Amino acid sequence: MEKTPQALKGKKIILGITGGIAAYKMHAVVRHLKKLGAEIQIIFSPCAEEFVTKLSFSTMSERPVYSEFYSSEDGSWNNHVELGLWADLLLIAPCTANTLAKMAHGMCDNLLLAVYLSAKCPVMIAPAMDLDMYAHPGTQRNLSNLESFGNQIIPVGDGALASGLSGKGRLAEEEVIMEYVNTSLSSKNEFKGKNVLITAGPTHEPLDPVRFIGNRSSGKMGYALADKAAQMGAMVTLISGPTNLVPQHPNIKLINVETAQEMYDVALKNFSSQDLVIAAAAVADYRPKNIASQKIKKNIENGDSMQIELIKNPDILQEMGKRKTDQILVGFALETTQGLKYAKEKLSKKNADVIVLNTLEDEGAGFGTDTNKIYIITEKDQLALPLMPKVHVAQEILTFCHHNFLK
Ligand code: PMT
């Protein structure tokens, strides 16, 4: 007899269904998740019942479907805080433009939104709407806000829409949703009991009270690593330069810094207790020698040019390489040319165990994007990975480190 895989056995999922035509497609997703052993609690937004019935979803999930703060049958309270703490994953699919906007602005006028605001687990959102609504700058801004909260957006599909039009806005296909859910939930606590330190984002090196020298790092790579490491069981210290991001997982201790020197001080202070350190920050190599106490004024006498003297910043990764005892040290290399050559040089110069190379020669890799294409380089290995979302890149890096160094 064929054995049914129980990859999600014991995993608890809250599935939020909102009022969109694609809601019926979630029957197949629920069936699939149940087959893999997951427990599913479904919550409808107030409009969901216009499109699908509670009866069909409660039958499939083997639990009552909630939509109100109070049960109309026995008057009991559907405790949103408890629900938010119960789940290993909150998946909102399909998520309409309306619910998306409310989530992005912290509104709380229904049970699903209250659960969203209370949830401590990873949140995944699969938007579905008409193409013009999806393309509207308001919706796009809401999506980036939600991403900056650490929520994961499952990309919309491109094709026929309920309106008869065709374009971007369809609910992601069942297989895509399943892939995202599986990736998020299949981790096996590989990093339980481990301390992981991650540097993320840019540094800002002040010139005067209003100006700084910075770079284009958004922090997305480092925050994805922090969220993933925490999901895999680690206690994470995330040292971050200025970004708009908010880490999602309760096991992440965030320490905000601004300059390379501050990042150096905090990283080295925390270094000795770590098992794994990943330096994903884009740290300024130089800083202005003098910081003006007042705004630097345009000075006619200086003519059309101005000199700024720069001095070297300490190299955080290199210093950790010198001090390391049994910590595993992973550095990044961001290159624009001859990536492999420079990455290998960094591996030995900084005494790192792994260098993750991302090169701007690869489209979709490096700064700002939601994707990255990396090469994992060690003394013995050189792995080239395809272009993928940064959350998946994070999973690959952490799994590599676990298999090769921490098992
Ligand atoms: O933040 P995102 O928009 O998601 O973009 C991600 C990223 C491109 C910033 C990230 O993937 C990345 O490549 N980070 C390292 C960028 C960098 O500064 O590379 P580098 O080749 O200059 O530095 C090499 C390594 O030394 C890095 O691990 C860096 O963190 C570290 N370093 C560098 C200088 C310094 N003074 N101290 C350091 O620790």
Side-chain angles (χ1 to χ4, degrees), residues 285-305:
D285 289 321
Y286 292 87
R287 66 174 184 270
K289 185 175 179 196
N290 300 309
I291 305 171
S293 58
Q294 304 300 331
K295 184 181 172 192
I296 300 168
K297 291 290 190 197
K298 242 189 280 175
N299 188 341
I300 310 271
E301 284 155 33
N302 283 341
D304 287 338
S305 66

Side-chain angles (χ1 to χ4, degrees), residues 14 80-87 89-90 112-123 151 248-250:
I14 291 181
H80 55 88
V81 178
E82 261 174 27
L83 282 166
L85 294 175
W86 171 82
L89 175 72
L90 169 58
L112 179 57
L113 293 169
V115 170
Y116 167 70
L117 290 177
S118 315
K120 292 269 175 246
C121 59
V123 177
N151 301 166
Q248 188 71 7
H249 201 284

Side-chain angles (χ1 to χ4, degrees), residues 110-348:
N110 65 54
L111 179 67
L112 179 57
L113 293 169
V115 170
Y116 167 70
L117 290 177
S118 315
K120 292 269 175 246
C121 59
V123 177
M124 265 179 203
I125 301 159
M129 63 199 75
D130 209 38
L131 78 167
D132 294 321
M133 294 168 83
Y134 179 71
H136 193 280
T139 303
Q140 290 303 315
R141 189 181 300 158
N142 291 336
L143 283 166
S144 358
N145 271 353
L146 292 170
E147 268 185 325
S148 74
F149 303 159
N151 301 166
Q152 198 173 358
I153 309 295
I154 303 180
V156 293
D158 193 340
L161 296 158
S163 59
L165 299 170
S166 179
K168 272 188 158 186
R170 276 169 70 87
L171 179 67
E173 297 303 324
E174 181 197 340
E175 310 82 67
V176 178
I177 296 177
M178 286 305 301
E179 162 78 23
Y180 272 80
V181 172
N182 265 320
T183 309
S184 170
L185 288 179
S186 60
S187 68
K188 301 174 196 79
N189 267 345
E190 296 94 329
F191 283 87
K192 196 168 183 335
K194 302 285 182 206
N195 291 327
V196 176
L197 185 148
I198 291 165
T199 67
T203 62
H204 286 180
E205 309 297 332
L207 274 161
D208 68 15
V210 273
R211 303 181 183 93
F212 59 82
I213 297 176
N215 61 65
R216 298 177 198 278
S217 171
S218 63
K220 285 180 184 173
M221 191 64 252
Y223 278 63
L225 281 159
D227 276 328
K228 204 32 94 182
Q231 283 166 29
M232 291 165 93
M235 294 305 292
V236 179
T237 304
L238 173 62
I239 306 173
S240 173
T243 75
N244 294 321
L245 306 178
V246 180
Q248 188 71 7
H249 201 284
N251 290 354
I252 299 175
K253 181 175 144 204
L254 172 67
I255 305 176
N256 287 304
V257 296
E258 197 180 330
T259 64
Q261 184 65 53
E262 284 167 17
M263 190 175 273
Y264 175 91
D265 292 341
V266 178
L268 270 300
K269 191 171 157 216
N270 284 274
F271 179 60
S272 63
S273 57
Q274 304 301 321
D275 298 290
L276 171 67
V277 174
I278 307 182
V283 185
D285 289 321
Y286 292 87
R287 66 174 184 270
K289 185 175 179 196
N290 300 309
I291 305 171
S293 58
Q294 304 300 331
K295 184 181 172 192
I296 300 168
K297 291 290 190 197
K298 242 189 280 175
N299 188 341
I300 310 271
E301 284 155 33
N302 283 341
D304 287 338
S305 66
M306 177 183 167
Q307 306 282 330
I308 298 170
E309 193 178 347
L310 301 176
I311 54 168
K312 218 169 188 180
N313 269 326
D315 191 312
I316 306 164
L317 183 61
Q318 195 163 333
E319 186 56 34
M320 290 195 285
K322 281 187 197 148
R323 294 194 197 181
K324 85 172 175 183
T325 48
D326 46 10
Q327 293 88 349
I328 304 307
L329 209 51
V330 180
F332 268 72
L334 177 70
E335 306 296 347
T336 52
T337 177
Q338 298 190 69
L340 287 172
K341 176 175 173 276
Y342 290 131
K344 281 183 189 156
E345 282 174 15
K346 279 180 183 154
L347 187 71
S348 68

Side-chain angles (χ1 to χ4, degrees), residues 51 77 119 125 161 391:
F51 295 86
W77 188 38
I125 301 159
L161 296 158
V391 268

